Amino acid sequence: MTQKTVTIVGQGYVGLPLAQAAARAGWTVHGLDVTESLVAQLNEGRSHVDDLSDTDIQEMLELGYRATTDPTVIASSAVTVICVPTPLGDGGSPDLGAVKGASRTIADHLVAGSTVILESTTYPGTTDDVVKPILELGSGLKAGEDFNLVYSPERVDPGSKKFGIKNTPKLMGGMNDASTQAAVAFYGDFVDEPVPMNGLREAETAKLLENTFRHVNIALVNEMTKFCHEMNIDIWEVIRGAATKPFGFMKFTPGPGVGGHCIPIDPNYLSYEVRNQLGYPFRFVELAQEINNSMPRYVVDRVGGLLNDHRKPLNGSEVLLLGVTYKADIADQRESPAEPVAEALRERGAIVRFHDPLVSTWNLGSGAVEREEDLDAAVKAADTVVLLQAHELYDLESIAQNAKVMLDTRGAAPAPAVRL
Ligand SMILES: NC(=O)c1ccc[n+]([C@@H]2O[C@H](COP(=O)([O-])OP(=O)(O)OC[C@H]3O[C@@H](n4cnc5c(N)ncnc54)[C@H](O)[C@@H]3O)[C@@H](O)[C@H]2O)c1
C-alpha cells in the first residue's frame, strides 16, 4: 500500500470530478471502471461528463491519473472510494448490484491499514449491512480493526459555477472514530470543510434528507401552481414576494417535473427502507412523487388549453420543445421530464419536435424525435413552443416575440410567453 494513492471505483459524474480534485491535491489516482470503452476514452484525454473538459482530463493525465479496468490497483491504494450507480430496480426497489459488485472487487484486493469509503447515494444501513460483510468475507480482514470504513455522500451540483468539491462542505461518517479521521485526512486535502459525523447511518440518512427536502418543496410549489392557475393567481409573483423574507423561507420554483439521477430516485431509497423495516409509508415522499410525476401531463393539458384559446386542437398541431435535458446548461438527460411531456403530447396526436443546443439525438420509447437545427425558423413555424429548460444560450425575449404561442414552464421568458 502506498500513501497518497487512491482508487476511485466508478468514473462517472461523481467519480471523475473526485479523481480530478484528488489528483490536483497531489494524490496518485487510479480511476477504476468496468466500462472498457470509457477507460480508453479517458486515457486518450476525452471527457464524458459536463463538468470536466477534455483539457481537464489531459491535465489529470499529466498529474499521473490513469483510468483502468484492472482492480489490482486497489492493493496499492491507501484509500478506495466507491462511486458507482444506485438506480431503482424492478418495482421501484433499490438496485445495489453495482455497489455489491464494486465491494466484491475491493474485497479481493483489500489490504490492512487502508480505508474504504462509499459515496453512492443509498438507504441507511447499506455501508454496515451490505458493504461491510462483503468486504470482510472476501478479504478476511475485520472492518474497524484492520481497515477503516466510511460513508461520505457526494453533493455535486452539476453545471454549477458557484459550488464544486472544494467549497461544498462534505459529510463523512465512519464506523468508528479512526475511520472518520481517516476520511477527514483524505478529503481535507482538497475540501475546505470536512464535516465529521457520528455514524454511518446518520451520514447516509443526511444525504437522503437533503434530496427529500428538495423533492417535497418542489412538489409543494408544483401543487400550488395548479390551483393558483385555477384561481387566477400568478404563482411566480407569489414566489417572488415570499422569497423576499430573509428567514424561514427558501425559494423553490415550479417546473415540468423532476429529473436527474437524484431527486426522482433517491427519496425512493428512503421510503423503501422505512416500509421494509417498519412496515409503514413515508408519506411525504409518496405524495411528492405523485405530484411531481403529474407535472408532465399538466404541462400537456396547459398546451392543449392554450391551443384551444387559438381555436386549434392539440391533435395534429406542431409542438416545439426547447431544452430537453433535466437541468439547464447541462447535457445530462437522465430521468428528464421532457420525455413524459413528449410522450403525452404524442399520445394526444401532437407532432413533436425539439431543439436543444446540448442534445444531438433524442430517442423515446415511441421513437426518435426530430431535432430542429434552425431555432428561429422552428420557433416561427410551430403552433406552440414549450420552454422546458431555459438554457443560457436561448434568447428568450426573441423566442417569446416570434412564437405563435409559447408556454414557459420555468418562469424565465417575458410576455407574451405564458407562464406555467
Ligand atoms: N450525478 C450526480 O449529480 C450525483 C450527485 C450526488 C450523488 N450521486 C450518486 O453517486 C453515485 C454515482 O452516480 P454517477 O452519476 O456518478 O453515476 P454514473 O453512471 O455517471 O457513473 C458510474 C460509473 O460507475 C461504473 N461502474 C458501474 N459498476 C461498476 C463496478 N462494479 N465497478 C467499477 N465501476 C463500475 C460505470 O461504468 C460508470 O462509469 C450514485 O449513487 C448517485 O446516486 C450522483
Side-chain angles (χ1 to χ4, degrees):
M1 186 180 82
T2 321
Q3 293 307 316
K4 282 224 154 197
T5 298
V6 57
T7 294
I8 298 170
V9 189
Q11 291 295 280
Y13 284 84
V14 168
L16 202 55
L18 177 65
Q20 179 192 41
R24 283 182 172 170
W27 283 70
T28 300
V29 182
H30 303 293
L32 183 64
D33 205 290
V34 285
T35 309
E36 280 183 20
S37 55
L38 172 63
V39 165
Q41 176 185 336
L42 290 170
N43 286 333
E44 284 161 14
R46 286 183 291 123
S47 176
H48 69 113
V49 305
D50 288 301
D51 289 337
L52 270 73
S53 65
D54 290 354
T55 316
D56 287 327
I57 306 295
Q58 284 147 26
E59 181 211 359
M60 286 163 65
L61 291 169
E62 276 163 29
L63 290 168
Y65 165 81
R66 288 294 177 272
T68 181
T69 55
D70 175 9
T72 58
V73 292
I74 292 163
S76 65
S77 300
V79 179
T80 300
V81 191
I82 305 174
C83 303
V84 298
T86 43
L88 296 178
D90 294 340
S93 61
D95 175 359
L96 289 183
V99 170
K100 290 179 185 168
S103 302
R104 279 192 289 271
T105 304
I106 295 168
D108 288 343
H109 303 277
L110 192 64
V111 290
S114 62
T115 299
V116 179
I117 305 172
L118 178 64
E119 282 213 9
S120 300
T121 307
T122 186
Y123 61 78
T126 304
T127 316
D128 208 15
D129 300 340
V130 178
V131 175
K132 188 175 83 167
I134 295 176
L135 293 177
E136 289 185 333
L137 191 71
S139 68
L141 299 172
K142 186 126 186 62
E145 288 176 21
D146 302 319
F147 65 95
N148 299 310
L149 184 60
V150 181
Y151 183 76
S152 179
E154 175 50 57
R155 277 174 164 168
V156 75
D157 182 13
S160 171
K161 294 186 177 90
K162 199 169 167 198
F163 292 109
I165 288 185
K166 183 171 159 48
N167 63 351
T168 305
K170 190 148 183 32
L171 306 182
M172 43 205 76
M175 67 170 294
N176 56 11
D177 252 10
S179 294
T180 308
Q181 288 318 314
V184 169
F186 169 59
Y187 290 113
D189 268 0
F190 48 89
V191 171
D192 290 343
E193 197 184 328
V195 183
M197 287 191 69
N198 296 329
L200 297 166
R201 280 176 166 74
E202 285 71 18
E204 290 164 333
T205 312
K207 168 72 183 176
L208 295 175
L209 171 60
E210 291 165 17
N211 284 353
T212 304
F213 173 84
R214 196 164 158 69
H215 191 34
V216 166
N217 280 287
I218 292 170
L220 174 65
V221 289
N222 278 339
E223 187 171 32
M224 286 189 73
T225 299
K226 291 182 181 177
F227 68 68
C228 281
H229 178 67
E230 299 285 314
M231 295 166 81
N232 211 11
I233 297 167
D234 179 353
I235 183 71
W236 301 94
E237 185 61 3
V238 171
I239 294 168
R240 190 182 72 82
T244 60
K245 188 179 180 190
F247 48 87
F249 184 82
M250 188 178 280
K251 181 177 165 182
F252 287 85
T253 50
V258 287
H261 191 276
C262 294
I263 304 300
I265 293 173
D266 301 349
N268 290 283
Y269 269 69
L270 193 50
S271 56
Y272 171 87
E273 199 52 18
V274 171
R275 202 181 269 278
N276 191 31
Q277 278 192 30
L278 308 171
Y280 52 78
F282 183 3
R283 287 178 295 164
F284 265 112
V285 167
E286 294 183 359
L287 183 60
Q289 251 155 8
E290 187 187 317
I291 294 167
N292 288 335
N293 289 345
S294 75
M295 291 311 285
R297 283 205 173 265
Y298 178 69
V299 168
V300 174
D301 287 345
R302 291 287 300 274
V303 173
L306 286 175
L307 282 166
N308 192 51
D309 293 345
H310 289 76
R311 296 169 189 268
K312 280 188 182 167
L314 190 49
N315 194 346
S317 285
E318 296 190 4
V319 179
L320 174 67
L321 302 180
L322 298 184
V324 299
T325 58
Y326 89 83
K327 189 176 178 186
D329 302 317
I330 62 165
D332 194 342
Q333 284 175 263
R334 291 183 291 178
E335 313 292 327
S336 172
E339 186 165 339
V341 168
E343 293 287 23
L345 282 167
R346 277 181 167 173
E347 271 168 33
R348 289 168 66 172
I351 300 156
V352 183
R353 299 201 175 89
F354 84 101
H355 176 277
D356 194 312
L358 303 171
V359 177
S360 50
T361 53
W362 190 30
N363 295 310
L364 302 180
S366 60
V369 185
E370 191 182 326
R371 181 181 197 266
E372 293 285 6
E373 304 295 330
D374 183 341
L375 178 60
D376 282 350
V379 165
K380 284 178 187 154
D383 294 308
T384 313
V385 173
V386 183
L387 181 73
L388 294 177
Q389 284 308 345
H391 292 313
E392 237 177 66
L393 285 158
Y394 285 140
D395 178 350
L396 294 176
E397 198 161 338
S398 138
I399 294 171
Q401 285 301 330
N402 288 330
K404 288 177 197 148
V405 179
M406 178 174 179
L407 178 66
D408 167 16
T409 69
R410 295 293 170 182
V418 175
R419 292 183 172 185
L420 197 63

